[in-house]
Amino acid sequence: MTALQQKLDILSDNMANLDTTGYKRKDVNFSDILMNVKQQPQGFQQTGRLSPLGYVQSWGSRVSQVQYDLTQGSLKETGVSTDLSVEGDALFQVEANGQIAYTRDGGFQLTALGGDPNMLTLTTKEGYPVQGKNGSIRIPVGYEMQVSPDGTVTAHPAGNPNATVKIDQIKLNVAVKPQFLQQIGNNLFIVPRDMDNATVQVVRDAVPADFDASSPGRTVDAPLGIRQGWLEQSNVSMSDEMSDLLLVQRAYQLNARALSSADTMMNLANNLRG
Amino acid sequence: MIRGLYTAAAGMIAEQRKHDTITNNIANLNTPGYKQVNAISRSFPEMLIALTSGQPGAGGASRTIGRMNTGVLAEEDPSLYVQGDLKETKNSFDFAIASDIQENGLDFNGRGMAFDPNTGDRVFQKQLFFTVQSPQGETRYTRSGNFAVNETGELVTPEGDKVLGLNGQPVKLVNPATGQTLTSVTAMADGRFLDPVSGQPLVDAAGQPLGILLSRVDNPNRLVREGNGVYRVNPGDEGTVAALTDQNGARNAELGNLVDTHQAVLRQGYLEQSNVDPAQSMVELNTALRAYEANQKMVQYYDRSLDKAVNEVGKV
């Protein structure tokens, strides 16, 4: 029942984040628990016995694994130039209080950071700077930002599309072992502190070939891409979560019945005398 | 003394064991790869009841009355190894085995059992299992295919057991050319991995094909549950398991035959669900409870009989 309760908690977490941009749903897996094996003497080896000697008793199940489902969420057009979305298995990189963090939430904004009144920095809603190949992405005030599918950021003065200047390229990270990513809230993931990304390779930088659908050097299944003016919606599917919820609820009910049945049994044992 | 008291008590204990087993099945309703466990009871050994004459000089001559059993015990709890439902998870490191291995002349019933028409022996359906290696280096078998990639690129179970590959060694998902961990693979029905981008077979550092090793278990009842969804084979029973490893770099002929004739298939992005039947479990739960109650009542009746014998026989 405790294990199912945890699944229920995670399901409600998923459902609560149905409308969170870039949210990745979590999935729970169970495993059974073995507690004791009663040894049996040789005399129990009778003809017709199916299994080897010993009476194996196990007591319940537990949550063995909580995994992120990093599949693509649906994209929704917003028309806002600072709304970016990633197509494919990659994450944006942001700097959150001096720490590198990763996110799929591309609802960015331009913020005045660093005391320079003429420059705006592309940040998340929480104000964490989005990282490009050369650090934070800074756009001069009065310029309009363009992002190409491979992440190249250019800008031009408002009303003058010909005077385009190249700013930087948005850094994308391929999630190699997404199960090690640790969620720290605000839709951010980090590589756990006790893990060295250089050796473990939880995430790695996307290479230019990853953006090219026809390139043989591509290292990811589906080509990566960035779309400007679109936001990735949560990949939680209401119908899946609801059917899971029903299943869990019924399983919980069945467990509760088993519990009350065991309770009745104890009561019978207690009332053996009179 | 009154034997029936202990017989009824033994019945209570056996029913309690049965109840425990069913409760555990219900608790594992959502555990991938879990196989339903059934408690099987056996009566205590028979004993001969005799009436001793008690007459002096008769040499203790006694007359046999008959045989009786004085109780019951939960003897064993084998699992039911029939196929569980497959559930799509879309996770590329979730695998499920669907197998229905037929044998000539045998007609397996819904519980995976058949009778040999020639000898009349019970024969159990052969099953395929994933082969994993525990941290202590021991080989274990499991039907639970929710795997993940660990720090060093090895395919592991949630408990950290390494999944064995086609050559009997742990699967290492590393591109031999670049040394980088592979982000995903495409698995074919026979467990071999393909590169999802190029569609070419993946190979390890030695140039051997990468894939998941399936093991055939001839009599799954000889497997011993170890918890966490894994099974082990006791010493002496090794013959019941055959690892379908690659033969000289080529696909195992037996596995190839099973896959080609659709008797076994490995599915990627699916998990095999527990094969526990909730309705049946509920019924069995109630049956065990009521049988327990009946035994409890028997104990009480014996108690009342004793009460009469002790307190009322000598009353005037």
Side-chain angles (χ1 to χ4, degrees):
Chain A
M1 277 174 90
T2 322
L4 283 169
Q5 181 80 56
Q6 281 178 25
K7 167 130 186 172
L8 212 56
D9 290 348
I10 284 176
L11 280 178
S12 49
D13 190 9
N14 282 342
M15 283 164 86
N17 285 295
L18 192 66
D19 277 330
T20 309
T21 51
Y23 179 82
K24 293 295 161 203
R25 64 181 287 269
K26 283 175 277 189
D27 212 0
V28 188
N29 269 322
F30 298 101
S31 155
D32 64 324
I33 315 171
L34 182 82
M35 289 303 269
N36 57 6
V37 179
K38 257 177 49 190
Q39 295 302 327
Q40 293 174 328
Q42 269 308 318
F44 278 73
Q45 188 61 60
Q46 305 227 339
T47 47
R49 189 188 165 99
L50 301 172
S51 54
L53 286 176
Y55 190 87
V56 182
Q57 278 184 309
S58 30
W59 310 98
S61 64
R62 64 180 173 85
V63 170
S64 67
Q65 198 182 29
V66 179
Q67 276 185 321
Y68 294 109
D69 173 5
L70 287 187
T71 51
Q72 181 84 42
S74 56
L75 300 185
K76 183 177 157 194
E77 186 164 15
T78 60
V80 181
S81 69
T82 53
D83 280 351
L84 306 179
S85 65
V86 187
E87 287 176 282
D89 278 341
L91 298 150
F92 292 113
Q93 183 175 334
V94 301
E95 193 193 318
N97 306 326
Q99 189 183 18
I100 294 174
Y102 306 93
T103 184
R104 285 285 290 202
D105 181 3
F108 299 136
Q109 57 193 25
L110 290 167
T111 319
L113 280 184
D116 185 348
N118 297 320
M119 287 298 222
L120 291 172
T121 310
L122 190 66
T123 65
T124 65
K125 289 190 199 77
E126 291 77 30
Y128 303 138
V130 179
Q131 298 297 296
K133 290 265 153 78
N134 308 312
S136 301
I137 293 164
R138 294 158 77 83
I139 312 279
V141 172
Y143 276 58
E144 281 178 10
M145 184 180 82
Q146 263 102 39
V147 181
S148 67
D150 68 350
T152 307
V153 182
T154 53
H156 61 78
N160 186 5
N162 296 325
T164 302
V165 286
K166 187 178 181 232
I167 308 282
D168 202 344
Q169 189 180 5
I170 289 178
K171 198 168 170 189
L172 282 189
N173 293 274
V174 176
V176 182
K177 292 166 188 158
Q179 73 273 22
F180 289 120
L181 286 174
Q182 193 183 344
Q183 206 171 22
I184 55 166
N186 292 334
N187 243 329
L188 296 177
F189 295 95
I190 55 166
V191 174
R193 285 181 187 81
D194 56 351
M195 217 171 252
D196 178 17
N197 195 33
T199 53
V200 178
Q201 273 195 342
V202 178
V203 293
R204 65 174 164 75
D205 296 352
V207 294
D210 291 342
F211 294 95
D212 185 356
S214 58
S215 167
R218 187 151 53 86
T219 58
V220 288
D221 306 356
L224 304 180
I226 292 183
R227 268 182 195 236
Q228 190 176 16
W230 295 71
L231 268 186
E232 184 181 2
Q233 300 299 298
S234 157
N235 68 348
V236 178
S237 142
M238 201 60 181
S239 53
D240 284 358
E241 299 301 316
M242 278 313 274
S243 54
D244 256 18
L245 192 70
L246 286 178
L247 217 67
V248 169
Q249 203 183 3
R250 291 298 170 205
Y252 195 81
Q253 233 166 33
L254 201 55
N255 273 290
R257 286 291 299 275
L259 186 72
S260 68
S261 171
D263 177 55
T264 314
M265 225 162 169
M266 298 283 210
N267 186 38
L268 284 172
N270 276 336
N271 291 324
L272 207 57
R273 173 84 187 89
Chain B
M1 264 298 289
I2 298 177
R3 292 190 196 95
L5 196 62
Y6 299 105
T7 310
M12 283 175 80
I13 296 167
E15 291 302 334
Q16 176 145 30
R17 292 257 181 281
K18 202 171 260 181
H19 195 274
D20 288 348
T21 309
I22 301 161
T23 311
N24 185 51
N25 283 341
I26 292 176
N28 285 292
L29 213 54
N30 285 319
T31 306
Y34 181 81
K35 298 292 170 196
Q36 181 177 333
V37 178
N38 301 305
I40 295 178
S41 309
R42 173 165 72 91
S43 59
F44 276 2
E46 281 183 333
M47 50 190 210
L48 215 55
I49 311 294
L51 180 76
T52 43
S53 68
Q55 285 174 357
S62 60
R63 193 159 52 86
T64 304
I65 295 176
R67 296 164 189 276
M68 76 175 294
N69 300 101
T70 53
V72 62
L73 71 150
E75 174 161 49
E76 57 172 340
D77 52 350
S79 299
L80 181 65
Y81 291 91
V82 297
Q83 178 73 39
D85 302 336
L86 299 192
K87 180 184 164 195
E88 187 171 11
T89 61
K90 294 181 184 125
N91 183 335
S92 68
F93 290 120
D94 280 347
F95 300 94
I97 300 173
S99 72
D100 183 17
I101 303 176
Q102 298 298 329
E103 277 175 82
N104 278 341
L106 293 177
D107 182 19
F108 290 107
N109 65 12
R111 299 178 78 82
M113 196 174 81
F115 290 97
D116 191 316
N118 300 319
T119 60
D121 289 342
R122 271 184 306 184
V123 184
F124 289 91
Q125 197 163 19
K126 294 173 180 173
Q127 299 290 344
L128 292 180
F129 283 82
F130 295 112
T131 324
V132 299
Q133 192 179 53
S134 71
Q136 289 78 36
E138 295 152 326
T139 306
R140 298 282 182 263
Y141 305 93
T142 183
R143 285 285 282 214
S144 167
N146 52 327
F147 302 142
V149 182
N150 74 357
E151 291 94 327
T152 55
E154 287 163 329
L155 202 58
V156 292
T157 68
E159 283 73 38
D161 294 350
K162 292 168 186 164
V163 180
L164 296 187
L166 295 170
N167 55 0
Q169 297 300 314
V171 182
K172 206 159 187 188
L173 295 174
V174 173
N175 186 335
T178 60
Q180 280 186 331
T181 312
L182 301 164
T183 47
S184 67
V185 295
T186 305
M188 293 198 295
D190 59 0
R192 282 166 181 264
F193 289 158
L194 297 180
D195 186 319
V197 179
S198 66
Q200 294 299 310
L202 285 169
V203 290
D204 61 11
Q208 297 296 315
L210 269 180
I212 292 181
L213 174 65
L214 298 178
S215 290
R216 188 198 70 224
V217 180
D218 292 346
N219 183 0
N221 286 312
R222 301 307 295 176
L223 295 174
V224 181
R225 284 203 305 286
E226 276 216 327
N228 299 327
V230 302
Y231 298 84
R232 76 177 140 82
V233 171
N234 270 351
D237 278 334
E238 289 92 347
T240 194
V241 181
L244 304 177
T245 45
D246 268 12
Q247 294 158 332
N248 305 323
R251 186 165 82 166
N252 185 292
E254 186 190 339
L255 180 66
N257 180 39
L258 289 176
V259 172
D260 293 342
T261 55
H262 307 288
Q263 293 185 65
V265 63
L266 180 86
R267 284 193 186 276
Q268 189 179 22
Y270 286 83
L271 275 182
E272 182 179 354
Q273 297 299 103
S274 146
N275 68 353
V276 176
D277 180 345
Q280 193 202 352
S281 302
M282 205 61 230
V283 172
E284 282 181 8
L285 199 66
N286 284 336
T287 316
L289 177 66
R290 291 304 167 197
Y292 185 84
E293 197 173 2
N295 278 300
Q296 187 247 15
K297 287 277 180 285
M298 284 314 295
V299 174
Q300 287 184 344
Y301 295 150
Y302 276 112
D303 180 48
R304 254 173 254 162
S305 305
L306 277 174
D307 176 42
K308 293 237 186 307
V310 172
N311 295 321
E312 289 177 32
V313 168
K315 227 180 206 171
V316 275

